[in-house]
Amino acid sequence: MSERKKNKALYALYIICMYVFFYLPIVVTMVFSFNSSKSLTNLTGFSLRWYERLISDGSIMKAVYVSLTIALFATIISTILGTITAIGLSKSRKVVKDVLLNINNFPIMNPDIVTAIGLMILFSSIMISKGYMTMLLAHVAFCTPYVITSVYPKVRQLDPSIADAALDLGATPFEALVKVIIPMLKDGIYAGVLLAFTMSFDDFVISYFVTGNGVENISIVVYNMTKRTNPTINALSTIVIVVIIVLIVASKLIPNMLKNTMKKFMAIALVLVIGFSAFAGIKSSGRVLRIFNAGEYMDPDLITEFETRYGCKVIYETFDSNESMYTKLMSGSEYDILIPSDYMIEKLIKEDMLQEVDWDNITHKDDIDPANLGYAFDPNNKYSVPYFVGTVGILYDKNKVDEKDLKDGWELLRNKKYAGDIYMYDSERDSFMCALKALGYSMNTTNKDEINEAYEWLIQQRETMDVVYAGDDVMDNMIAGNKALALVYSGDGTYIMAENSDLGYFEPEQGTNQWCDAMVMTKDCRDTELAEAFMDYMLEYDVAYRNSLFVGYTTPVSKVREDLMNTEYEGINSYIPNIGAPNNEEFRLQERDIKQYYADLWTKVKAY
């Protein structure tokens, strides 16, 4: 074979490898959208169940609608603003032009998180209620600079005398703009339109911080869905991919038809978006309850039933962590009910951000297990009503782990027999909890000598065990049987074992993190009667039972917990954590200096 043919073959191989690298993940996503199980890595059979769930899930369909309308409206407005600005810059003095172009580059080069925080603070400071309109304004703000960047080079290529000639021939300035200048800029404008639409439709970071009142786009919904293994994401992604492919093919095969219908399409889109935005701006005249909860942490059907029973509207939003929830609260976002974790509730109480619960309105209070009341973060339950409880334990593969080794407790995670076969949860506090409990110390210790010993324990584990620190992806990896051991929360353990019956879960006798997530009312709660009715509603037997089955975590309602022990959760008996074990503790709020001390050591552990 000649050298030239070899080069061609290598080049062809390179092209093939490049396209495989780019498109194989997309193909895998589409294939697993038809998987019959929840696993994102293990094919078990063909099914359309995730497409059925996608269509029936109102929150996802609403998010698709919000994403499309926001993207269309933001594209139209930013294109108009960007095109006019680009034309105006071409007529400006050089100094003004250079200054404005440099200013235009700031939002393009600025990290999204900085822009998001800035816009969030701006909307809060001028008292604009967060929701559809704030998301739209934010999208217009970050899309317009991209349109200017696309259109301005085309403006510079124009012959200035063309506009003058149009005026000399009797055209008005507006006619010269619309009929002469803009048609000559169409390539730059089309590029700006495509870029603006793509940027808006894909955005997550900015949208997450500037929205509120239950308005969420696809990116936010998908991000919150990733807290648990949810193949509905694959179905949604597949539909989006197919739509994009159809549009691309159509643009190549029938360009003339598309051009002729573009004006009609834009007009229809404009009417649709304006109509929706006007509708979105109409406030409900009935009772409204604003709830802020963790993602994938409540059966959505229960919310619908509550709305029907009480004739109200529930605005339900989700967060990915207690810290991001706190950030949104501090930015001025208002909610009636929050469902945070124990240590965050202690922080909110300390900062006087909660109001007391009237337990006379909680008619099902006697149904709560006494073991789930009186936690250290709220000893008298003045502010909190338990929502879910659980522990942190070790998930193990029964086929790989010797049952006799379980007696080692937390030291099992340093047993060299399982080196390279362990997932540790990527959490500073839970990882230090394992080490501190293994050493016989309190997981809330402030003694730096004890903390240092725990640090050495984690370093030694890192040296000898080749552990992998994982987040929520540990669930799908353990379902697939990729490791023998994993540190997980009890509810996640139940969820995982439902998909893989070869797995077991246990809590070491040295003690563990015994946590409680609870419902609390903010000082901004506008309808305390409705808020307390919702808290009471979540403690009803049928509601608590269904919610616990849907989420996988343990309810504080005693009777439900007892019945769940004899109920199969998608194929296995539900696991009930050992709440109240002698050595168990719940996390307490850390003082700033101790929190920073832990954080510094954790950084060293991760960087080791």
Side-chain angles (χ1 to χ4, degrees):
M1 185 181 291
S2 66
E3 190 67 25
R4 186 175 180 180
K5 289 184 178 180
K6 286 182 180 179
N7 290 337
K8 283 185 176 181
L10 288 173
Y11 182 73
L13 181 61
Y14 165 78
I15 295 295
I16 292 171
C17 291
M18 181 185 70
Y19 277 105
V20 168
F21 178 76
F22 286 156
Y23 293 108
L24 184 59
I26 294 177
V27 174
V28 170
T29 297
M30 298 177 74
V31 169
F32 275 90
S33 70
F34 299 100
N35 193 15
S36 59
S37 78
K38 292 182 178 179
S39 176
L40 300 178
T41 57
N42 184 27
L43 282 171
T44 58
F46 179 85
S47 174
L48 294 174
R49 63 182 292 199
W50 308 117
Y51 288 91
E52 294 172 0
R53 179 174 293 186
L54 174 65
I55 295 171
S56 62
D57 191 331
S59 63
I60 296 178
M61 301 310 295
K62 181 182 176 182
V64 171
Y65 194 58
V66 169
S67 290
L68 286 173
T69 54
I70 287 284
L72 285 170
F73 211 173
T75 299
I76 294 169
I77 296 174
S78 61
T79 299
I80 294 172
L81 293 177
T83 301
I84 292 174
T85 303
I87 294 172
L89 284 174
S90 68
K91 302 295 183 180
S92 302
R93 289 183 298 172
K94 187 177 185 305
V95 175
V96 175
K97 187 188 306 179
D98 291 342
V99 170
L100 292 179
L101 286 174
N102 285 327
I103 292 174
N104 186 68
N105 289 332
F106 288 162
I108 296 175
M109 301 179 67
N110 218 19
D112 282 353
I113 186 65
V114 176
T115 302
I117 297 297
L119 288 169
M120 178 181 69
I121 294 172
L122 172 64
F123 294 140
S124 297
S125 62
I126 59 179
M127 305 299 289
I128 296 181
S129 179
K130 295 185 182 68
Y132 189 92
M133 192 54 63
T134 52
M135 186 187 291
L136 175 59
L137 291 173
H139 281 227
V140 170
F142 73 75
C143 286
T144 301
Y146 290 95
V147 176
I148 294 173
T149 302
S150 299
V151 176
Y152 183 68
K154 288 293 181 181
V155 175
R156 292 187 61 186
Q157 296 174 9
L158 288 179
D159 185 348
S161 62
I162 293 178
D164 295 334
L167 295 174
D168 290 341
L169 292 172
T172 64
F174 181 75
E175 289 175 331
L177 174 66
V178 174
K179 295 183 178 181
V180 178
I181 297 176
I182 290 181
M184 299 181 71
L185 301 176
K186 64 180 181 180
D187 290 340
I189 294 173
Y190 288 157
V193 166
L194 293 174
L195 191 56
F197 184 87
T198 303
M199 293 292 296
S200 176
F201 192 77
D202 289 348
D203 179 71
F204 163 71
V205 176
I206 295 175
S207 299
Y208 185 82
F209 283 95
V210 301
T211 191
N213 289 316
V215 177
E216 296 179 327
N217 60 11
I218 294 176
S219 299
I220 296 174
V221 170
V222 168
Y223 180 71
N224 288 324
M225 288 168 67
T226 59
K227 297 297 291 180
R228 302 296 289 269
T229 303
N230 194 331
T232 309
I233 299 173
N234 290 343
L236 177 60
S237 301
T238 299
I239 292 174
V240 171
I241 292 166
V242 170
V243 170
I244 291 173
I245 292 173
V246 170
L247 289 175
I248 291 174
V249 172
S251 67
K252 298 297 182 182
L253 297 180
I254 47 176
N256 291 330
M257 187 179 75
L258 288 179
K259 286 181 181 179
N260 294 332
T261 58
M262 182 60 70
K263 291 182 180 180
K264 293 181 181 179
F265 171 76
M266 293 297 287
I268 294 172
L270 182 60
V271 171
L272 173 67
V273 176
I274 292 176
F276 179 75
S277 61
F279 173 77
I282 299 174
K283 295 184 178 179
S284 173
S285 58
R287 303 174 76 181
V288 176
L289 186 66
R290 303 162 299 170
I291 302 174
F292 205 22
N293 192 11
E296 297 288 295
Y297 211 39
M298 184 179 292
D299 184 346
D301 290 340
L302 298 177
I303 297 175
T304 303
E305 292 174 16
F306 179 81
E307 290 176 323
T308 302
R309 182 189 298 187
Y310 288 89
C312 66
K313 171 65 178 176
V314 174
I315 297 175
Y316 185 77
E317 293 185 48
T318 56
F319 55 82
D320 65 314
S321 68
N322 287 281
E323 286 67 31
S324 65
M325 177 213 69
Y326 181 78
T327 299
K328 292 204 76 171
L329 283 179
M330 296 306 292
S331 73
S333 298
E334 296 182 353
Y335 302 96
D336 300 313
I337 292 179
L338 308 174
I339 308 181
S341 299
D342 34 34
Y343 72 93
M344 183 55 67
I345 296 175
E346 184 176 2
K347 181 179 180 68
L348 296 174
I349 293 173
K350 186 176 180 180
E351 296 181 2
D352 194 29
M353 297 177 68
L354 305 179
Q355 60 178 296
E356 296 184 12
V357 176
D358 185 352
W359 280 89
D360 290 337
N361 295 327
I362 311 299
T363 61
H364 295 87
K365 57 180 176 293
D366 294 334
D367 298 332
I368 301 174
D369 188 338
N372 301 137
L373 296 170
Y375 285 97
F377 64 87
D378 186 14
N380 300 313
N381 285 97
K382 292 173 61 177
Y383 301 94
S384 60
V385 177
Y387 179 69
F388 275 133
V389 296
T391 58
V392 175
I394 299 175
L395 192 72
Y396 64 97
D397 190 324
K398 299 173 185 177
N399 299 321
K400 299 178 181 178
V401 178
D402 189 340
E403 294 278 347
K404 296 179 182 178
D405 293 335
L406 301 185
K407 69 180 187 304
D408 295 336
W410 295 116
E411 286 297 334
L412 177 64
L413 299 176
R414 294 204 302 177
N415 188 327
K416 294 181 180 179
K417 187 190 302 184
Y418 308 108
D421 218 7
I422 297 176
Y423 285 118
M424 288 288 288
Y425 197 65
D426 192 1
S427 165
E428 169 194 321
R429 297 203 74 174
D430 287 317
S431 294
F432 268 96
M433 179 275 294
C434 297
L436 289 166
K437 284 297 184 182
L439 294 167
Y441 301 135
S442 167
M443 67 186 200
N444 291 303
T445 184
T446 58
N447 184 313
K448 291 187 177 180
D449 290 335
E450 294 177 355
I451 297 172
N452 288 334
E453 282 189 59
Y455 165 71
E456 294 298 334
W457 191 96
L458 291 171
I459 288 294
Q460 193 274 339
Q461 182 198 41
R462 195 73 191 267
E463 286 179 341
T464 60
M465 301 302 295
D466 189 27
V467 298
V468 175
Y469 287 95
D472 295 312
D473 56 318
V474 71
M475 291 189 287
D476 198 58
N477 280 298
M478 289 302 291
I479 290 173
N482 292 338
K483 300 284 185 185
L485 297 165
L487 183 70
V488 298
Y489 292 103
S490 54
D492 290 340
T494 298
Y495 190 90
I496 296 168
M497 289 187 290
E499 291 293 322
N500 187 340
S501 59
D502 291 332
L503 301 176
Y505 175 90
F506 81 102
E507 299 148 12
E509 293 183 359
Q510 299 105 313
T512 185
N513 170 17
Q514 173 181 288
W515 54 265
C516 173
D517 293 345
M519 299 174 282
V520 297
M521 286 191 301
T522 68
K523 282 287 182 71
D524 296 321
C525 182
R526 298 172 184 172
D527 193 336
T528 57
E529 181 183 349
L530 187 61
E532 288 168 342
F534 182 82
M535 292 177 174
D536 191 49
Y537 168 78
M538 295 307 298
L539 296 176
E540 292 180 11
Y541 178 89
D542 181 61
V543 173
Y545 188 93
R546 289 164 56 195
N547 200 37
S548 194
L549 279 181
F550 181 87
V551 179
Y553 279 97
T554 304
T555 175
V557 180
S558 302
K559 177 60 176 169
V560 174
R561 185 184 298 177
E562 292 172 6
D563 291 347
L564 282 172
M565 293 183 70
N566 300 314
T567 301
E568 285 196 347
Y569 171 71
E570 299 202 4
I572 67 162
N573 288 333
S574 295
Y575 176 80
I576 304 300
N578 188 13
I579 304 296
N583 296 317
N584 287 358
E585 299 177 78
E586 59 264 15
F587 279 128
R588 301 300 307 276
L589 183 65
Q590 294 174 325
E591 295 297 331
R592 181 174 297 180
D593 60 332
I594 291 297
K595 182 178 177 65
Q596 188 60 51
Y597 193 75
Y598 273 105
D600 291 342
L601 292 179
W602 178 242
T603 301
K604 294 179 182 178
V605 171
K606 292 292 293 293
Y608 188 81

